[in-house]
Amino acid sequence: MTEPTHGAAPVYVIGGGPGGLAVAAALRAQGIRAVVLEKSDAVGASWRRHYDRLHLHTTRRLSALPGLRMPRSFGRWVSRDDVVRYLEKYAEVHELEIVTGVEVSRIEAAGDEWVLHATGGRRLTGRAVVVATGFNHTPRLPDWPGADSFGGRLLHASAYRGPAPYAGQDVLVVGVGNTGAEIAVDLVEGGAARVRLAIRTAPHIVRRSTAGWPAQATGILVRRLPVRLVDAAGGLLGRLSVPDLSGRGLPRPDTGLYSRVREGAIPVQDVGLIDAVKRGRVEPVAAVASFDDGKVVLADGSTIAPDAVIAATGYHRALEGLVGHLGVLDDRGRPAVHGARTPPQAPGLYFTGFTNPISGMLRELAIDSRKIAKAIAAAGTAAARRS
């Protein structure tokens, strides 16, 4: 590893999660000083807040960051706590320069450099900036009409830790992405009296592993294939591996698997949902429309009165205040370019971790980190030649 040169302005990496740490390590390997700014008091903050039973849906071997393997003792499907341990060890092994308790509120261009406005009135100047604040940044709780009239407990899935507080209760989980599906199963196994799952759009469900072959490996193989081909293959595989649950309220999706992925909807990896729905332990219901007089009104006009509603309704990227004035976001608030590409109107500004690829988030973060580091190194070399 090349020791970083401390005389030049550093590259600032915003976010101390897997993406930010991987980029910082890759930059250090290029001899570039990288300073990670993390608003919480430790690396991997979002992972520390996830629910207790969470495991990676990607394999240990395909989820390691550059320069450090995940220990075999973690098993094939790595737990949340082991991911946190890994990130702590990763920062230690790579001797990363991390400043905690510093939140960056705005990034501005200043000639060939960047100025970061941060906690406590700080103004930090860097040669480049990598934004790695994460795909799951700010919980998104829908503004349901009448929600303030609900007499039970209403919370976002980010506040859910485990099933113990819901033992013996009637719980409605809203949203059938991987988080909603897993929380529903967790509640059933943890003793909830009744669990319903509100579904707006029928999801694609895939087996996490089939005969030892992980779904992630298939995602890697098909990622560059034509959408129509993958949709057709995914439909056939779904019919062969997933039973028809239409009679239980969970119909097969009417759009192709990869078409949905391209729209941002990742398939649900089965960790017990199929069996729970088959047995009637998780009851699919219509999407939530509103709340009325303490009850939940569903899109089909029916009403239910659960004790608690857990909204697995996703997150905002929350980049508008940080970089929205730079014209680098698309109409959905996501970076228009990411990885080693830098916006033409904002050279030296990079983004990583703002897609949810079918091939695995951590794998793609690892690939991105090396590409970003090489791009920053090349830009620095070109600048030195011009001066």
Side-chain angles (χ1 to χ4, degrees):
M1 179 182 292
T2 305
E3 286 298 319
T5 301
H6 285 263
V11 173
Y12 282 106
V13 180
I14 305 174
L21 298 183
V23 169
L27 286 167
R28 196 172 192 279
Q30 292 280 347
I32 298 170
R33 182 188 175 200
V35 179
V36 178
L37 304 175
E38 168 54 48
K39 69 177 182 179
S40 73
D41 60 358
V43 301
S46 64
W47 280 94
R48 297 173 192 273
R49 295 192 298 266
H50 284 312
Y51 49 93
D52 296 340
R53 73 171 279 157
L54 178 66
H55 284 68
L56 289 179
H57 291 161
T58 55
T59 66
R60 169 180 52 81
R61 292 184 63 186
L62 294 174
S63 301
L65 302 179
L68 184 66
R69 294 181 178 180
M70 287 188 173
R72 185 176 298 224
S73 61
F74 284 3
R76 193 181 199 195
W77 311 107
V78 182
S79 72
R80 177 204 64 185
D81 290 346
D82 282 338
V83 171
V84 172
R85 293 186 187 98
Y86 173 75
L87 296 178
E88 291 173 339
K89 187 67 175 179
Y90 191 84
E92 176 187 337
V93 167
H94 290 287
E95 300 178 347
L96 302 182
E97 189 175 348
I98 301 170
V99 183
T100 59
V102 174
E103 182 174 9
V104 179
S105 57
R106 186 178 175 89
I107 302 171
E108 294 181 339
D112 293 333
E113 295 182 318
W114 291 92
V115 174
L116 287 67
H117 299 265
T119 305
R122 293 179 176 88
R123 288 172 56 90
L124 308 171
T125 302
R127 57 183 280 195
V129 178
V130 182
V131 181
T133 49
F135 190 83
N136 296 337
H137 187 274
T138 302
R140 185 180 70 84
L141 189 64
D143 186 19
W144 286 304
D148 55 357
S149 72
F150 183 57
R153 187 177 181 189
L154 171 61
L155 67 152
H156 188 270
S158 60
Y160 176 87
R161 293 294 174 271
Y166 309 95
Q169 294 189 8
D170 182 337
V171 186
L172 172 67
V173 180
V174 183
V176 70
N178 279 294
T179 297
E182 190 156 358
I183 287 176
V185 172
D186 197 34
L187 288 164
V188 165
E189 295 177 353
R194 186 175 189 180
V195 178
R196 284 174 281 206
L197 183 59
I199 300 172
R200 183 175 302 278
T201 304
H204 285 275
I205 303 175
V206 299
R207 302 287 186 178
R208 187 169 65 172
S209 179
T210 303
W213 179 263
Q216 180 190 10
T218 302
I220 293 170
L221 290 175
V222 306
R223 191 177 179 200
R224 305 298 181 188
L225 295 178
V227 173
R228 287 184 180 180
L229 178 61
V230 181
D231 280 351
L236 176 60
L237 180 61
R239 289 190 294 274
L240 292 174
S241 62
V242 178
D244 185 0
L245 300 172
S246 300
R248 291 288 187 178
L250 186 58
R252 295 190 188 278
D254 55 10
T255 54
L257 184 150
Y258 204 29
S259 293
R260 293 284 304 280
V261 168
R262 297 289 290 271
E263 297 171 357
I266 294 298
V268 172
Q269 292 204 19
D270 179 48
V271 290
L273 180 65
I274 293 173
D275 184 66
V277 171
K278 281 177 60 178
R279 295 174 181 272
R281 301 181 72 193
V282 170
E283 305 168 48
V285 296
V288 172
S290 63
F291 289 73
D292 182 41
D293 193 26
K295 296 183 179 180
V296 180
V297 181
L298 303 179
D300 61 5
S302 62
T303 61
I304 59 176
D307 299 305
V309 176
I310 301 173
T313 46
Y315 295 79
H316 296 291
R317 309 293 89 80
L319 292 171
E320 289 79 5
L322 188 67
V323 297
H325 56 287
L326 298 173
V328 297
L329 304 179
D330 64 17
D331 57 1
R332 289 194 281 179
R334 304 176 306 180
V337 299
H338 64 276
R341 298 169 60 199
T342 187
Q345 71 274 36
L349 179 62
Y350 299 85
F351 297 89
T352 185
F354 294 97
T355 61
N356 196 8
I358 195 172
S359 50
M361 173 72 81
L362 292 176
R363 177 181 181 272
E364 295 303 320
L365 289 175
I367 294 171
D368 268 1
S369 68
R370 294 189 178 100
K371 292 180 177 179
I372 290 171
K374 288 179 180 178
I376 292 174
T381 300
R385 287 173 179 168
R386 290 193 299 268
S387 60

